Every structure is written in C-alpha cells, then in structure tokens.
Amino acid sequence: MPAEKIRVLIVDDIAETRENLRKLLSFAPDIEVVGTAATGEEGVQMARELVPHVVIMDINLPGMDGITATEQIAREVPTTQIIILSVQGETGYMRRAMAAGARDFLVKPPSGDELMATIRRVYEIGQVQAARIAPAPTVTAPGAVGRPAVRHGQLIVVFSPKGGAGCTTIAVNLAVALQTRLGMSQKVAIMDGSFQFGDVGVMLNLQPARTIADLAVRVEELDSDLLTSVLTPHASGIKALLAPPHPEAADAVIGADGGMTESSRRIGIILDGLLREFDLVVVDTWSLLNELTLTFMDRADLILLVITPLIPDIKDARHFLDLADRLGYPREKLGLVINQADRKTGLRLDQIERALIPALAHIPYDERAGIIAANRGLPIATEEASKPIGQAFVQLAAGVLERLSELRKTEEEEEAVSVEVSRRLLGRALGI
Ligand SMILES: Nc1ncnc2c1ncn2[C@@H]1O[C@H](COP(=O)(O)OP(=O)(O)O)[C@@H](O)[C@H]1O
Ligand SMILES: [Mg+2]
C-alpha cells in the first residue's frame, strides 16, 4: 500500500452515480475521494485546484463533454491520471478519449474491485512517470543511468505488459535465432531480468552453477573474468546470465539494502559489463513497469513489445506506448511483436498495428512446439526451424538486425555531425 492515500476526483453529471462511486471507494483504505464535480468545466477547475492523483471521468456530460475535459486536464495537470467511465458500446468515444490522454477505461457500472484495481494501477503508472519526468535531485551513482562510456554491443529489451503473452519465449528464441544467423563470429548473450521467477534457464534447459545473484554482490569488482565465470553457455552458442534458482536469492539483486536506486545501479554496471563483452544482449523482463524494468529500457537500443491479438493486450500496449512517449523514447527504439498472431480473436493484425505501431514480426501459435520448449527446454528457433513458427523467429531476427543497423547508422551520423561542429567551433576559436 502506498504511504500516501490515492486522491481521487469523480466527474459525473448524475448525482446517484457520483454517490455510488464514492460509496464503493469508501471501502478502500488507501483511496480518498477528494472531490466530486457534475460538469466538465467544474471537473477541469477542480482538477487544477486539487491536483488529484486520479480522475474518474464520465464521457457524456452536458456542456463540455468528458473527452474535452480529459484533454484539458491531461494538458494542464499532467501528473493526474484519468480513467474514463463509459456505457457499453461507446467504443468510438473511448478511442478518442484514450487519444485525448485518458489512461484507462471502465464500463458502467464498474464493480468495486475493478474500480479500485484500476485506480491503483493508473496511480502506479503516474508515480513511475512522475519519478522519471521530474527526477528527485539525488546524486546519481555512476553506472545508474544513461549510456555507458565504453560500449560495444547493442541492447534489446523484451517486455510484455501482460504475463503469459510469450515474453520469455520471444526473448529466448530471438537470442538463439540471432546467434544462428550471425554465426560464431558475433557474440550473443541473454540476461534473465525476471530475478524472482525467471524462466530463461528452464526454457533453455540450463542448470546454472552461478547466477546474477553471485554477480550482484560483487559488481564493484566486475571485470571480464568475473562476468564470464557467472555465465552459463548454451548449445546454440549463446551465453546466459540466469536468474537465481530460488526467489529468496533474488534479494541479492533487488535486496532491501539500498532499495531500488541501489539495485538499478548494480543492474546498470552488469549491463555495461555485458555490452563490453557481447555484440548483442537480449534481456527478458517481467510484466511489471517498475524502476528496474525502466533501468533496462532506458539503456536499450531496441525495446520489443510482445502482445497477443487480444483487446486487453492492445490496451496495455497502448498505455505503454504513451508512457514511452512521455519518457522521451524515440519511436525507432520500439518494436512490436505479435505472438500467437494466427489465433482467431476477431481482430485483424493490420488494425492492431495501425492502433499501435507496425510489427517487426508475427509469431504463429504452435501448441506442440510450445509444450516441447516449456517442458524439455528445447528452443523453438532451432528445434522447429523448418516449421512456420521457426521461420517466424528467423524473420524476427532479421527485422531486429535491420533495425539495429539503422539505429547504429543514425547514431554514427549524429556523432559525425557533432565532431564536425566541434571542429568548426575550434577552427573559429583559433581563427583558422
Ligand atoms: N507462439 C507460441 N506457440 C505456442 N506456445 C507458446 C507460444 N508463445 C508462448 N507459448 C507458451 O506459452 C507459455 C507462456 O509463455 P512465456 O514466454 O513464458 O510468457 P511470458 O514470459 O510472457 O509470461 C509458455 O508455456 C510458452 O511455451
Ligand atoms: Mg516470462
């Protein structure tokens, strides 16, 4: 539970709805309704004055409608998160509301659990966002943020906002497919960024002698030898930095000592080490957007967003893209992977991609391959190379390499421009 109460403003023209929402929320000890408004204008005014964490906004309001009010609040009180309350069938409005800056939506009448869970979730997003946009004036330890000075490799972070969408499957098979494609002249590593419940070791059938927990406590002495000693080699040629076998051992990485900032610093040093040794590093994350996940993402050259073709996944991916915008990540840094893309969900892939971003690859569903991969630890990318799912990983690897090479080219061009500018400035200073 957060130390402070989550401050909520309710905007709805019907007094009974306002009262019902207030009653539902009175059962949540961590939530406080700080105000209610009956019109859009009043809602905007109160949001300005009260700066609530969360606004519950009705769509249909007399006068200024909920979408316009959402737009104004999102602009004027950017720290406030807005949840749209709509009746069934208002999907067209809903899309506009999301575009106007709403963070989530609920269908009327929401259940108490649903309402509270949504409020807590958007509050969390707001907290993460606020911490990133206006960082506290603390001294940043070396290695905690930004790009490392000596950097050789490129970093790919695989993330899925929904557990079970196939994040680990994509990360593991991408690493294997990259290694297969590049041959042994290039070095590929995978890191399990899901420290407590990591599955990378299981999916690769590896029993690690050492894990990230052994490394995290010794980051200060990290060098090439120490790093090599904690990596587990896989038959495909990739090297894996695995999560500890017991969740408790994850304390060494995300331990209470020093908190998140200290953990982020350690992760930063470990990533620097990996990027000095390897050409490509793939990180599997878990579906929680916390400080650690963002540490990986900040440093990533490419973030792969994994979804399945279902509405909740798309909604969460939309939120993630909004957050990525607010964090200032350029669009080229983001790639979409639609997993289980051939599932008949009633949603067309081109529509999904239009609502989000174009996909780098579509991975089909292959039940047998999935079971073999999960139970026997045989990567789909090599075991099923001739099947459509294996081919899809080949395509994904190709798409990723192409994007990474474009990114590197842009980076080099930017560097060349800045060298040229400094040379000219120097020339002018010296009068030549
Ligand atoms: N395209 C696919 N075809 C068949 N099974 C899949 C596919 N993608 C994922 N799976 C299976 O779904 C389960 C969850 O996948 P996983 O990668 O662990 O998801 P996440 O890391 O997002 O929680 C695993 O058992 C995996 O083998
Ligand atoms: Mg996983």
Side-chain angles (χ1 to χ4, degrees):
M1 198 160 83
E4 58 176 351
K5 283 199 177 196
I6 307 177
R7 304 169 64 251
V8 176
L9 169 69
I10 298 168
V11 187
D12 199 300
D13 57 329
I14 300 166
E16 197 190 329
T17 311
R18 292 196 299 272
E19 213 29 58
N20 284 342
L21 291 172
R22 187 200 270 285
K23 259 191 221 128
L24 283 176
L25 292 176
S26 68
F27 294 106
D30 55 336
I31 297 172
E32 181 187 5
V33 175
V34 292
T36 59
T39 66
E41 287 86 350
E42 202 186 336
V44 173
Q45 185 59 31
M46 288 181 81
R48 272 193 213 118
E49 283 162 15
L50 299 168
V51 193
H53 293 117
V54 177
V55 174
I56 314 275
M57 176 74 73
D58 185 22
I59 282 198
N60 288 313
L61 295 168
M64 182 193 282
D65 64 24
I67 292 168
T68 314
T70 296
E71 215 165 46
Q72 284 207 11
I73 295 173
R75 200 171 46 235
E76 291 181 40
V77 199
T79 52
T80 294
Q81 309 294 317
I82 303 155
I83 299 169
I84 289 286
L85 203 56
S86 70
V87 289
Q88 201 83 45
E90 281 179 333
T91 43
Y93 281 122
M94 222 128 68
R95 209 167 294 132
R96 280 178 49 213
M98 299 304 257
R103 190 79 21 240
D104 214 322
F105 63 83
L106 284 166
V107 174
K108 276 185 184 177
S111 73
D113 284 348
E114 223 181 354
L115 182 65
M116 291 173 205
T118 310
I119 289 174
R120 288 182 187 123
R121 198 157 68 86
V122 300
Y123 169 79
E124 286 293 327
I125 294 176
Q127 291 303 99
V128 170
Q129 208 177 297
R132 310 299 295 185
I133 292 167
T138 49
V139 179
T140 309
V145 293
R147 296 172 66 86
V150 188
R151 175 167 176 158
H152 159 72
Q154 284 177 297
L155 178 64
I156 305 152
V157 171
V158 187
F159 172 75
S160 166
K162 274 262 178 303
C167 190
T168 306
T169 303
I170 304 293
V172 163
N173 288 286
L174 171 64
V176 170
L178 285 168
Q179 186 75 74
T180 309
R181 194 174 174 88
L182 294 169
M184 294 312 287
S185 63
Q186 303 239 15
K187 293 164 79 179
V188 180
I190 185 157
M191 171 172 177
D192 198 334
S194 180
F195 306 123
Q196 273 180 309
F197 299 102
D199 295 327
V200 172
V202 176
M203 286 216 190
L204 288 170
N205 193 23
L206 295 173
Q207 276 82 39
R210 301 262 175 80
T211 71
I212 188 163
D214 300 292
L215 196 54
V217 290
R218 296 175 62 191
V219 286
E220 262 42 80
E221 22 170 332
L222 188 127
D223 61 11
S224 179
D225 290 341
L226 175 58
L227 187 62
T228 312
S229 75
V230 296
L231 295 174
T232 312
H234 181 257
S236 62
I238 64 170
K239 302 266 184 349
L241 180 54
L242 296 173
H246 313 291
E248 311 87 71
D251 276 357
V253 196
I254 44 171
D257 53 327
M260 279 291 190
T261 312
E262 172 58 14
S263 312
S264 297
R265 189 184 71 88
R266 291 184 196 171
I267 300 301
I269 296 175
I270 293 172
L271 281 177
D272 285 356
L274 284 170
L275 289 166
R276 275 197 299 270
E277 293 292 317
F278 289 87
D279 298 285
L280 293 171
V281 177
V282 179
V283 178
D284 176 33
T285 59
W286 64 319
S287 37
L288 184 71
L289 261 180
N290 60 9
E291 194 60 36
L292 286 182
T293 317
L294 287 170
T295 302
F296 288 122
M297 291 187 176
D298 279 354
R299 287 164 171 265
D301 292 280
L302 179 61
I303 300 167
L304 289 183
L305 186 58
V306 178
I307 60 162
T308 66
L310 292 167
I311 291 279
D313 285 37
I314 296 162
K315 191 179 83 166
D316 289 348
R318 184 67 254 158
H319 288 161
F320 177 74
L321 291 178
D322 288 346
L323 180 66
D325 282 346
R326 291 180 196 223
L327 293 175
Y329 295 167
R331 274 292 152 101
E332 311 83 73
K333 182 172 169 165
L334 304 167
L336 181 70
V337 178
I338 306 182
N339 189 25
Q340 311 189 354
D342 53 349
R343 274 176 65 184
K344 300 276 173 284
T345 61
L347 294 169
R348 288 197 355 235
L349 300 183
D350 60 326
Q351 284 172 332
I352 296 175
E353 292 182 41
R354 255 206 311 280
L356 300 172
I357 49 174
L360 277 177
H362 299 157
I363 312 288
Y365 181 68
D366 186 326
E367 189 178 7
R368 194 182 144 268
I371 291 171
I372 292 177
N375 291 347
R376 308 221 328 252
L378 299 172
I380 299 170
T382 44
E383 291 307 305
E384 314 285 339
S386 58
K387 287 176 57 178
I389 189 166
Q391 288 302 310
F393 282 115
V394 172
Q395 273 162 23
L396 174 61
V400 164
L401 288 174
E402 193 182 331
R403 176 73 70 84
L404 288 176
S405 116
E406 284 163 13
L407 286 165
R408 180 141 281 174
K409 222 164 74 199
T410 317
E411 204 175 288
E412 281 167 4
E413 278 163 11
E414 280 167 5
E415 246 158 60
V417 169
S418 83
V419 167
E420 180 58 29
V421 169
S422 354
R423 197 182 296 139
R424 254 189 264 149
L425 285 176
L426 186 64
R428 206 177 301 156
L430 297 173
I432 49 176

